[in-house]
Amino acid sequence: MIAPSRMDIHPAPMRVLIGCETSGVVRRAFAAFGHDVWSVDVLPAEDGSNRHIIGDVRDYLAEGWDLLAVMHPPCTRLCNSGVRWLDEPPTKLNQNYSAVDIAAYAAMDRDARLAFMWAKLDEGAALFSDCWNAPVERVCVENPVMHRHARERIRNWVKPQTVQPWWFGDPAFKATGLYLRGLPPLVPTRKLTPPARGTQEHKAWSQVHRASPGPDRWKDRSRTYEGLAAAMAAQWSTAAARQVEAAE
């Protein structure tokens, strides 16, 4: 099924906040539909946009948005892939942490490191919960598969929709969980046929998971694919328009 075209969109623009995004990919996708859209992150926007706020997304949640999409909350401790560190903490921290945290962690003993991991879990869960329960009618919060300790800490947790970039025309593997409130699940727009395992093409599609360690690895891994962003903007703009029309 092809995503709704711009002719399907109600002319009234929405006020949209894209949280935890520096790339501008999702912001630009919604802007293409004429929405009053802003992004916010603790880091500057890569594209230098004047519609980007540098700050904590939680400070802007109550400013009358029609739709909130939090794309890459820094909640690495919530992910199922890292649950093992809650039993046996790593010997050192990677570049996802601040220089202050990395230095302090290096001087800790095992018990202190374990306490650090659980504290970061609580911090991540609090951020996710604040965004998920924001006073906004339509909310999407993106996050990889969560472990049970994370789910137990999320207020009003629900099962997410899991999507893949190749559902929307991008040749890549990256399972992405979308926690949706007031928004419909995304419908694939241009499904590709995944290549066979062991082939060079399959390796190319797995580039996110095969990325080399480095200071920008987290940024490359978290970037939203263009096809997924376009589907979000098109389908959720249409859904919001229908909701408004039904309420009139």
Side-chain angles (χ1 to χ4, degrees):
M1 181 181 294
I2 302 300
S5 69
R6 294 189 65 168
M7 296 299 292
D8 297 317
I9 306 304
H10 192 281
M14 292 189 292
R15 295 196 69 236
V16 180
L17 181 65
I18 311 300
C20 304
E21 182 186 62
T22 61
S23 68
V25 172
V26 181
R27 169 171 35 80
R28 291 191 295 270
F30 275 92
F33 284 88
H35 298 304
D36 177 17
V37 55
W38 295 77
S39 56
V40 58
D41 193 87
V42 295
L43 297 176
E46 292 179 11
D47 59 5
S49 173
N50 62 359
R51 299 186 70 83
H52 178 80
I53 303 165
I54 299 176
D56 188 324
V57 63
R58 289 170 289 191
D59 293 335
Y60 301 91
L61 296 178
E63 296 192 359
W65 306 102
D66 299 302
L67 189 150
L68 168 69
V70 184
M71 299 314 302
H72 317 294
C75 305
T76 56
R77 295 279 59 80
L78 307 183
C79 304
N80 198 45
S81 59
V83 68
R84 65 187 184 279
W85 303 130
L86 297 174
D87 290 322
E88 186 57 44
T91 56
K92 63 180 180 179
L93 299 180
N94 59 28
Q95 293 89 348
N96 289 330
Y97 295 89
S98 68
V100 173
D101 278 346
I102 292 174
Y105 189 88
M108 294 178 185
D109 61 20
R110 179 189 177 280
D111 289 343
R113 289 175 177 176
L114 193 59
F116 176 92
M117 290 288 113
W118 283 92
K120 289 298 181 181
L121 168 61
D122 289 336
E123 289 178 15
L127 172 59
F128 189 100
S129 289
D130 288 343
C131 293
W132 175 238
N133 294 282
V136 182
E137 185 174 354
R138 305 168 187 88
V139 176
C140 166
V141 184
E142 181 270 342
N143 207 83
V145 178
M146 288 188 188
H147 54 72
R148 66 179 181 86
H149 303 296
R151 296 195 299 268
E152 291 168 355
R153 286 165 168 74
I154 304 298
R155 302 192 306 277
N156 303 313
W157 183 88
V158 299
K159 187 175 181 179
Q161 178 193 21
T162 300
V163 299
Q164 286 279 358
W166 58 269
W167 292 10
F168 307 97
D170 289 304
F173 297 118
K174 182 188 175 185
T176 302
L178 302 178
Y179 292 79
L180 305 175
R181 175 165 58 80
L183 293 169
L186 291 179
V187 177
T189 56
R190 190 161 63 88
K191 268 192 172 183
L192 305 178
T193 301
R197 289 182 177 276
T199 63
Q200 287 301 119
E201 187 179 8
H202 190 279
K203 292 179 180 178
W205 279 41
S206 304
Q207 58 185 334
V208 168
H209 307 291
R210 298 166 60 88
S212 301
D216 293 328
R217 186 173 187 265
W218 67 271
K219 186 182 297 186
D220 296 334
R221 286 171 60 89
S222 66
R223 189 179 303 274
T224 303
Y225 283 87
E226 300 280 350
L228 175 57
M232 289 177 174
Q235 295 182 34
W236 292 343
S237 292
T238 297
R242 290 172 179 166
Q243 291 168 0
V244 171
E245 291 171 357
E248 292 177 347

